[in-house]
Amino acid sequence: MPESSLEIKDTSCSSSRYRMSSLRQYSQSSVLPLPMTRNPYNMPTISAFCTEDNVSECISYINREVSSLGFPLLCTESNNGPELNLVDVLNNVYNLLQLHRRCLQTVEDIEVEQVKSNSNMDYLQLSNTRLKDQLELSKRENTGLLERERQLQLKVKSLHNCLKNEKEEVQKLQSIIASRATQYNHDMKRKEREFGKLKERLNQLLIDKKDKKQTFEVLNYVGRSDGKRSLWKTGKTEARHEGEMYKTLLNDYDSRHKDLLMENAELKKVLQQMKRDMVTILSPRKHSQSGEKHDDSLEQTSSEEDEVCDSSRESLELSCEHAREQLTNSIRQQWRRLKSHVERLDSQASLVGERANMNAIPKEVHEQEMDRLKLEIQQYKDFIHTQQQLLQQQLNSPCDDETASLLNDCYMQEEKERLKEDWKSFEEKRKNFEAERRNFTEAAIRLSHERKAFEEDRATWLKHQFLNLTPFGDQMKPQMSKSQSALSGWAESKVRPVSTPAKLNKSLSHTAFSTSRASPAKTPSTADLYRTHRLIPEKSPSTIHPKQDSSILRNGDIPAQLRHVNGGANC
Amino acid sequence: MNFSEVFKQSNQLCRVSPDGKYLATCVQYRLVVRDVNTLQILHLYTCLDQIVHMEWSSDSLFILCAMYKRGLVQVWSLEQPDWYCKIDEGSIGLVSSRWSPDGRHILNTTEFHLRVTVWSLCTKAVSYIKYPKACQKGIDFSRDGCYMALAERRDCRDYVSVFVCDDWHLLRHFETETQDLAGVEWSPNGCVLAVWDSCLEYKVLLYSLDGRLLSTFSAYEWSLGIKSLAWSPSSQFLAIGSYDGKVRILNHITWKKVTEFDHPATINNTKAVSTLSNEYMSGALHLPYPVQRHLKNHLICPLPVQVPVVKPDLDRANPKVGVSSMAFSSDNRYLATKNDNMACVVWVWDMQRLGLLAVLEQTSAVRCFQWDPRRPRLALCTGNAKLYLWSPAGCVSVQVPAEGGFQVQSVTWHCSGDSLILLGKEQLCLCYMEVGEEEEEEDDDVK
């Protein structure tokens, strides 16, 4: 339920407040939507609270309210229905009016109070701001004063220090004065003592009157240490003395002058060297600098070079003031440039170092790698070394029998293996040789067969010729020509077979010669060759009939065959 | 290293002849001349009184013996032992006596510095020089023996006279701008004369041989000034030691300060080596840390080193502060200095680097130190029975073998650098170095 918004602090009206609030509540939450008007008191008045229909309800309601307020009831319940007691009603009205007046009064009072408190608050606010300002002001003043105090304290301290210093100085001076005074006194006393002694002596002399004169006894006068005779004191000697004195002085000055000149020359040389060095250091860098400085630098370098050349040429004239100044100025210039250059490099380096610290890391890593690798290399070297040593030891150390025999066995094994290999190679060669020999023998056999065949052919042809030796030689010409051509062909081919038989003979003879030396494994093949060799001249028809037949059959093909044989034999 | 036996001497009078052959010692009123190597007595002379000062002539033929109380000077000849010469100053008294560089004249300074009498042994001529100044070093002869510089004081003003030693002809006479001239010293090349003021004023004046003022140097005002001065053997540097504990080095070309050496109480210089002689530990069976081979009986101290400082009594005159002794080595390379606040310490500076090279700390105050005339070797003594030697290669301490305790008060090198003369209170001992010494020295530890 909405609370009353009235803020009445008057506690005496608390109950009426409650009641009014409940009245308000009721009026706000009443079932009947009653039209509301505003009266001068700004209280909503309900003009149609009570109508003819709901009189009893209203009465009961009002009774309730009034009873809660503590007033006599409006009407009493009777049997006939609610009856309004006029007196009570009037009393109630009167009471209500009184209540209302009281409330108004309180409201007024409250309003007055409120106005008062508002004005109080305003006043307080004003005073508050005023006080704040004052506080601010006083704070500022305070700080100002503190500041002044601090300064004054500093001043006081410095003055204290000054005072202390002055006091110390005064003390020092006092001590100095004291020591001087003691020294003076001491000297004074000494002088006085001496004076006293003098006086005494004087007195003594006056009294004594015996003046013991000075005496000088000598046996004989001695010669001068340098052997010369002493000279009289004359003007000449005096002049001589003067002269000698000046001579000594001049000698001394001369030597010093020489030393200084030498030093000067050295220093000048050093300066020039420095200048040249600086020029060389600066000039290549200059070209790499920005273009704006390029021209200047070029000019300057050229001028420097000129200077250098000049100075080398005019080295003799460097003693003059102007040249010396020039030299020093140019050196100063160069030095300044070098300094600025170095500063620039430094700043660049620092920038680079800041930005790219990465460069530093790889370098470190690189270094570490290098170290590690070096270590590894060293380790390996050591390893190799130890190995070498062990090996040496092994070789040099006297081994016992077992190892010796083992070693020997090893050697034997090695040798055996080597021999085996050699054997193998020999075997292979032998096989090759055998194969070749077989080929040769076959070729030789074939050759012999063919020769036999050829001989037979020749024999038959001769026979034919012999038999055909008739004047009818023309008919035989084609045959002859054929046989001639065959012969010629054969003659042609005979040349080659002759060569090949020669070769074969050679090889055969070679083999024949080598039979005695040939290994037993080779003899059967040579025996065959022999047989074939013998077969060639002594052709017994019976034995070589099958071969003859074959050869006869192959009559026409002899040259080709022979040629084939040649080819075969030649290959 | 060999030590001779101990001989008697008095007044710390023991001098080697300039040619290095003889050793002359005084015992009361006797003058004993010995051969340096054999120490056999060659001559014995008797003087009339106790000898207070003894000096060889430059040609080693004569010896001068002075007896100040009696005002007598006796001269003895080595060639002719019968020859005698006696100079009696009479009532005028005698305060100092010395030879002239030619070995034929004797300069006697009378009492109260009234005058300097120049006696000649060759002629009858006598010269007098008036108004000599009584100061720290009033007379100095140039190294070649040609000139003598004499400080004079007339009418409350300081003058310097330059004499030609040949015939004592006054060459130059000029006034110096000093308040109270304390000393004169020729440079080794004989062309420059350094003149310095007393300790109340820090001032060094440099005059040329012909009397022109070349330069003036003053480091500060009011505080106590110069305590000691030393020329480098090549005349390149002039070292000035002052009461503020610093040594200032001037160069001979501009006469301006090249550098200054400070003697701080805490040494942090990493280039310097600090050694501490630990004789108080030598009795122990073992040393706390291993001793390096070339530092027998010495310890190298780790930096920073705290040097013991003795606060002097400033109420007394001539306080024990400041650099009182300085010595250049003969090869110009090193400078040894001693600061009086830290009397136990000798500081060795490297002149090439112009920096501190070594700090030698002893157990008691260093009494005397001297460089070997031939090589860069420093001998020093502290009044106990030990001799300390330092060289750039290392340092060594040697006990002097003598019964009854020999307290080494001063050390003098023989002109050849092969032997050392150690003087005690009433005793004298010679120490012969062996040639090729350095390695052997460390190994020998003479009881």
Side-chain angles (χ1 to χ4, degrees):
Chain A
M1 288 186 227
E3 290 283 308
S4 165
S5 59
L6 277 172
E7 292 174 17
I8 301 167
K9 288 175 187 169
D10 202 21
T11 48
S12 58
C13 293
S14 61
S15 54
S16 53
R17 180 178 44 151
Y18 178 74
R19 281 182 205 133
M20 281 169 107
S21 66
S22 56
L23 173 66
R24 190 75 63 98
Q25 282 170 12
Y26 179 76
S27 62
Q28 283 179 352
S29 62
S30 68
V31 179
L32 305 158
L34 301 163
M36 280 201 225
T37 57
R38 294 236 171 231
N39 63 1
Y41 294 101
N42 217 20
M43 285 281 292
T45 49
I46 304 163
S47 53
F49 166 65
C50 181
T51 55
E52 285 161 13
D53 302 327
N54 57 356
V55 170
S56 55
E57 286 161 6
C58 293
I59 287 171
S60 59
Y61 169 70
I62 286 172
N63 266 344
R64 266 204 316 266
E65 291 290 320
V66 153
S67 62
S68 68
L69 279 172
F71 299 145
L73 291 172
L74 264 182
C75 67
T76 50
E77 291 283 331
S78 66
N79 298 341
N80 302 342
E83 281 180 16
L84 276 170
N85 193 346
L86 191 66
V87 173
D88 285 328
V89 168
L90 288 172
N91 279 333
N92 277 323
V93 169
Y94 178 74
N95 284 335
L96 283 168
L97 282 173
Q98 288 290 92
L99 190 68
H100 176 68
R101 202 164 292 145
R102 252 182 274 139
C103 291
L104 283 177
Q105 190 65 39
T106 12
V107 164
E108 257 183 53
D109 290 336
I110 284 163
E111 276 179 1
V112 162
E113 289 287 333
Q114 194 182 21
V115 164
K116 265 197 230 168
S117 56
N118 275 346
S119 68
N120 269 345
M121 203 155 72
D122 286 337
Y123 173 73
L124 285 170
Q125 270 180 351
L126 273 171
S127 62
N128 192 28
T129 48
R130 190 168 44 84
L131 287 169
K132 270 191 186 157
D133 286 338
Q134 265 187 350
L135 185 70
E136 200 59 46
L137 197 74
S138 52
K139 269 189 187 161
R140 247 180 270 139
E141 257 178 66
N142 194 28
T143 49
L145 287 169
L146 278 172
E147 185 63 36
R148 241 188 91 198
E149 196 190 325
R150 193 180 60 82
Q151 279 177 356
L152 286 171
Q153 272 191 346
L154 275 174
K155 215 169 167 187
V156 161
K157 224 186 279 183
S158 64
L159 284 171
H160 266 300
N161 283 340
C162 275
L163 184 68
K164 219 186 345 176
N165 290 341
E166 291 296 318
K167 275 194 184 152
E168 274 174 18
E169 216 174 299
V170 161
Q171 267 188 344
K172 207 170 57 162
L173 285 170
Q174 275 181 341
S175 70
I176 286 170
I177 289 170
S179 63
R180 284 178 83 90
T182 46
Q183 197 73 31
Y184 278 130
N185 288 339
H186 174 82
D187 282 340
M188 217 32 173
K189 280 192 192 132
R190 202 156 41 91
K191 287 212 156 57
E192 224 181 293
R193 261 181 249 128
E194 205 170 320
F195 188 53
K197 265 193 249 168
L198 199 65
K199 273 200 279 192
E200 269 187 43
R201 172 56 74 87
L202 196 61
N203 272 331
Q204 206 182 30
L205 282 170
L206 284 169
I207 294 165
D208 282 347
K209 283 209 175 123
K210 277 187 296 172
D211 196 16
K212 277 190 284 168
K213 287 268 173 165
Q214 289 174 309
T215 55
F216 180 68
E217 289 169 33
V218 67
L219 184 66
N220 53 283
Y221 284 108
V222 198
R224 280 164 61 95
S225 48
D226 49 1
K228 290 192 217 147
R229 294 200 325 180
S230 52
L231 302 159
W232 292 105
K233 266 196 203 171
T234 58
K236 228 180 14 172
T237 53
E238 281 176 29
R240 192 167 48 89
H241 288 313
E242 288 276 320
E244 274 175 18
M245 179 190 77
Y246 282 124
K247 242 194 273 180
T248 359
L249 275 175
L250 283 171
N251 282 337
D252 180 58
Y253 281 137
D254 265 340
S255 63
R256 266 209 270 159
H257 185 65
K258 239 191 290 174
D259 288 337
L260 285 169
L261 272 178
M262 247 185 6
E263 215 180 302
N264 254 4
E266 288 269 340
L267 288 169
K268 269 189 206 142
K269 247 194 287 174
V270 167
L271 276 175
Q272 285 203 337
Q273 183 65 39
M274 265 175 59
K275 199 178 83 146
R276 257 180 263 134
D277 284 343
M278 282 199 274
V279 164
T280 48
I281 286 172
L282 287 172
S283 48
R285 301 264 169 88
K286 292 268 178 171
H287 297 308
S288 63
Q289 277 177 6
S290 54
E292 46 173 316
K293 284 193 187 170
H294 199 63
D295 292 336
D296 296 336
S297 64
L298 273 175
E299 279 174 23
Q300 279 162 353
T301 46
S302 60
S303 71
E304 284 150 22
E305 280 161 22
D306 286 341
E307 268 185 43
V308 168
C309 298
D310 284 344
S311 60
S312 63
R313 261 183 274 133
E314 300 167 6
S315 59
L316 292 166
E317 298 174 27
L318 269 179
S319 53
C320 88
E321 189 75 30
H322 179 64
R324 202 171 54 231
E325 266 179 40
Q326 246 187 357
L327 177 66
T328 45
N329 283 338
S330 63
I331 282 185
R332 278 206 202 98
Q333 237 183 355
Q334 293 295 332
W335 182 245
R336 251 182 263 130
R337 243 183 265 145
L338 191 68
K339 239 193 345 181
S340 61
H341 185 70
V342 168
E343 275 165 13
R344 228 180 299 128
L345 282 176
D346 264 341
S347 57
Q348 273 179 15
S350 63
L351 280 170
V352 166
E354 282 167 19
R355 263 189 274 122
N357 251 330
M358 303 291 284
N359 288 335
I361 298 167
K363 195 178 174 193
E364 281 173 8
V365 167
H366 171 72
E367 296 265 325
Q368 282 172 5
E369 278 291 318
M370 289 285 288
D371 290 335
R372 200 174 51 80
L373 288 168
K374 276 183 192 160
L375 202 68
E376 270 187 44
I377 287 167
Q378 190 61 33
Q379 279 176 349
Y380 292 144
K381 275 188 187 163
D382 291 334
F383 192 60
I384 289 165
H385 198 63
T386 46
Q387 288 284 325
Q388 259 187 339
Q389 275 182 343
L390 285 169
L391 201 66
Q392 273 303 114
Q393 260 183 4
Q394 281 294 321
L395 290 172
N396 292 339
S397 63
C399 41
D400 45 287
D401 289 340
E402 271 188 26
T403 48
S405 62
L406 191 68
L407 280 171
N408 283 336
D409 282 344
C410 295
Y411 293 145
M412 287 298 284
Q413 199 72 22
E414 240 184 89
E415 283 225 32
K416 275 186 194 165
E417 276 174 21
R418 237 185 290 128
L419 283 169
K420 269 189 193 162
E421 280 171 25
D422 287 341
W423 208 252
K424 264 187 226 161
S425 60
F426 284 145
E427 284 285 335
E428 277 176 31
K429 279 183 200 165
R430 191 167 61 82
K431 280 182 193 148
N432 291 338
F433 279 138
E434 270 190 60
E436 268 183 41
R437 187 167 288 122
R438 256 185 259 118
N439 289 336
F440 286 146
T441 49
E442 278 174 23
I445 290 165
R446 259 184 267 124
L447 189 62
S448 64
H449 286 320
E450 275 157 22
R451 184 168 284 165
K452 201 170 56 143
F454 166 66
E455 288 291 330
E456 281 178 9
D457 280 343
R458 206 176 75 163
T460 51
W461 187 77
L462 283 172
K463 241 194 292 178
H464 275 299
Q465 283 285 335
F466 192 65
L467 292 170
N468 292 338
L469 264 173
T470 56
F472 314 107
D474 300 323
Q475 288 171 6
M476 288 294 122
K477 272 187 192 172
Q479 271 188 331
M480 260 182 62
S481 66
K482 247 203 246 171
S483 56
Q484 264 185 351
S485 67
L487 247 181
S488 63
W490 183 86
E492 281 174 19
S493 58
K494 197 191 177 182
V495 177
R496 269 184 253 136
V498 166
S499 64
T500 45
K503 274 189 195 169
L504 268 171
N505 280 335
K506 272 189 197 161
S507 63
L508 286 169
S509 61
H510 186 74
T511 47
F513 282 131
S514 64
T515 40
S516 55
R517 292 182 216 114
S519 50
K522 291 184 185 174
T523 42
S525 50
T526 50
D528 287 338
L529 284 169
Y530 251 72
R531 264 184 261 123
T532 51
H533 192 69
R534 274 185 224 120
L535 273 167
I536 295 167
E538 303 167 282
K539 287 177 272 189
S540 56
S542 59
T543 49
I544 49 167
H545 260 298
K547 286 186 188 172
Q548 247 187 345
D549 291 339
S550 59
S551 60
I552 289 166
L553 276 168
R554 281 188 257 135
N555 211 359
D557 296 348
I558 287 172
Q561 201 194 9
L562 277 174
R563 244 178 271 129
H564 189 71
V565 166
N566 294 339
N570 274 340
C571 74
Chain B
M1 205 177 285
N2 294 321
F3 285 87
S4 71
E5 49 179 81
V6 174
F7 301 104
K8 267 213 201 130
Q9 50 90 5
S10 63
N11 285 338
Q12 317 276 305
L13 289 171
C14 178
R15 310 261 188 272
V16 179
S17 64
D19 60 2
K21 288 194 210 152
Y22 310 104
L23 176 71
T25 52
C26 295
V27 185
Q28 298 297 324
Y29 50 92
R30 280 209 195 89
L31 174 67
V32 184
V33 179
R34 295 169 199 272
D35 178 81
V36 152
N37 295 317
T38 62
L39 291 179
Q40 266 194 327
I41 298 179
L42 297 172
H43 300 283
L44 189 65
Y45 305 100
T46 313
C47 293
L48 296 165
D49 196 10
Q50 194 180 39
I51 304 168
V52 175
H53 176 73
M54 186 259 290
E55 200 175 320
W56 282 91
S57 68
S58 54
D59 53 4
S60 309
L61 292 176
F62 298 98
I63 303 176
L64 171 156
C65 301
M67 296 140 265
Y68 294 150
K69 255 197 218 155
R70 289 274 294 269
L72 286 170
V73 174
Q74 280 185 282
V75 186
W76 303 102
S77 159
L78 251 69
E79 288 178 317
Q80 288 180 281
D82 307 329
W83 189 86
Y84 73 87
C85 171
K86 187 173 77 158
I87 303 169
D88 188 350
E89 288 289 340
S91 37
I92 209 168
L94 185 63
V95 162
S96 94
S97 176
R98 69 184 80 206
W99 281 105
S100 72
D102 63 358
R104 294 290 179 272
H105 294 88
I106 294 169
L107 287 95
N108 286 343
T109 313
T110 65
E111 213 169 349
F112 309 115
H113 282 80
L114 284 175
R115 63 166 187 239
V116 173
T117 322
V118 183
W119 299 97
S120 166
L121 292 176
C122 336
T123 66
K124 286 201 185 134
V126 180
S127 311
Y128 297 101
I129 303 171
K130 281 204 284 183
Y131 309 113
K133 181 150 188 198
C135 55
Q136 195 183 359
K137 192 172 181 188
I139 302 180
D140 192 35
F141 293 102
S142 65
R143 209 160 281 197
D144 53 4
C146 294
Y147 304 104
M148 177 181 88
L150 180 80
E152 294 180 10
R153 185 136 181 131
R154 282 172 225 244
D155 299 329
C156 309
R157 284 205 221 133
D158 289 314
Y159 299 88
V160 168
S161 299
V162 179
F163 291 93
V164 180
C165 294
D166 248 358
D167 54 2
W168 305 106
H169 158 69
L170 176 65
L171 191 64
R172 285 287 186 277
H173 177 81
F174 49 89
E175 187 183 344
T176 61
E177 294 160 15
T178 51
Q179 295 278 10
D180 185 9
L181 198 151
V184 292
E185 187 158 336
W186 287 104
S187 68
N189 62 6
C191 296
V192 181
L193 182 69
V195 169
W196 65 94
D197 212 335
S198 75
C199 58
L200 289 170
E201 176 122 8
Y202 193 124
K203 203 185 227 173
V204 168
L205 297 155
L206 292 141
Y207 289 93
S208 156
L209 175 60
D210 57 346
R212 287 173 300 124
L213 175 65
L214 292 172
S215 174
T216 314
F217 177 74
S218 172
Y220 51 79
E221 279 189 309
W222 307 125
S223 297
L224 292 178
I226 300 172
K227 196 158 186 186
S228 61
L229 199 124
W231 281 99
S232 76
S234 62
S235 312
Q236 271 181 310
F237 298 115
L238 176 65
I240 306 170
S242 47
Y243 279 90
D244 64 349
K246 289 194 189 167
V247 176
R248 288 172 179 84
I249 309 278
L250 307 185
N251 76 85
H252 71 307
I253 299 172
T254 60
W255 301 113
K256 297 249 185 305
K257 182 179 81 170
V258 169
T259 183
E260 63 183 47
F261 295 147
D262 196 8
H263 299 83
T266 314
I267 304 162
N268 263 320
N269 190 340
T270 51
K271 290 201 182 121
V273 173
S274 176
T275 66
L276 168 72
S277 72
N278 62 339
E279 54 246 12
Y280 58 88
M281 277 167 135
S282 60
L285 289 170
H286 57 269
L287 297 169
Y289 10 86
V291 176
Q292 287 188 31
R293 202 173 163 270
H294 58 282
L295 281 174
K296 201 139 188 172
N297 294 332
H298 283 74
L299 292 172
I300 292 187
C301 308
L303 295 168
V305 174
Q306 285 289 125
V307 175
V309 177
V310 173
K311 206 86 204 262
D313 184 7
L314 288 168
D315 287 340
R316 309 209 32 206
N318 299 320
K320 288 218 175 287
V321 271
V323 180
S324 61
S325 37
M326 299 191 293
F328 274 96
S329 68
S330 51
D331 62 352
N332 244 338
R333 285 260 196 99
Y334 306 104
L335 171 66
T337 63
K338 186 181 103 156
N339 189 358
D340 278 347
N341 314 25
M342 313 155 188
C344 303
V345 181
V346 171
W347 307 66
V348 182
W349 307 85
D350 184 348
M351 289 311 286
Q352 274 188 321
R353 225 180 0 103
L354 289 177
L356 182 63
L357 182 67
V359 175
L360 313 175
E361 193 179 328
Q362 313 298 328
T363 48
S364 48
V366 174
R367 290 188 70 100
C368 171
F369 59 86
Q370 205 183 56
W371 286 100
D372 183 330
R374 291 285 170 84
R375 40 192 95 79
R377 189 160 56 170
L378 183 70
L380 54 106
C381 64
T382 62
N384 57 10
K386 282 204 179 175
L387 167 69
Y388 302 93
L389 286 155
W390 177 91
S391 79
C395 50
V396 72
S397 75
V398 186
Q399 177 98 10
V400 177
E403 313 97 29
F406 182 97
Q407 289 185 331
V408 184
Q409 309 260 0
S410 83
V411 173
T412 320
W413 283 95
H414 185 269
C415 52
S416 67
D418 289 335
S419 52
L420 268 171
I421 299 157
L422 310 169
L423 293 173
K425 265 213 190 97
E426 303 272 319
Q427 290 161 321
L428 147 78
C429 179
L430 257 91
C431 168
Y432 297 96
M433 306 283 177
E434 274 143 35
V435 185
E437 201 34 65
E438 286 300 303
E439 287 74 33
E440 292 172 38
E441 258 177 35
E442 292 103 66
D443 287 332
D444 288 341
D445 193 355
V446 191
K447 45 175 164 61

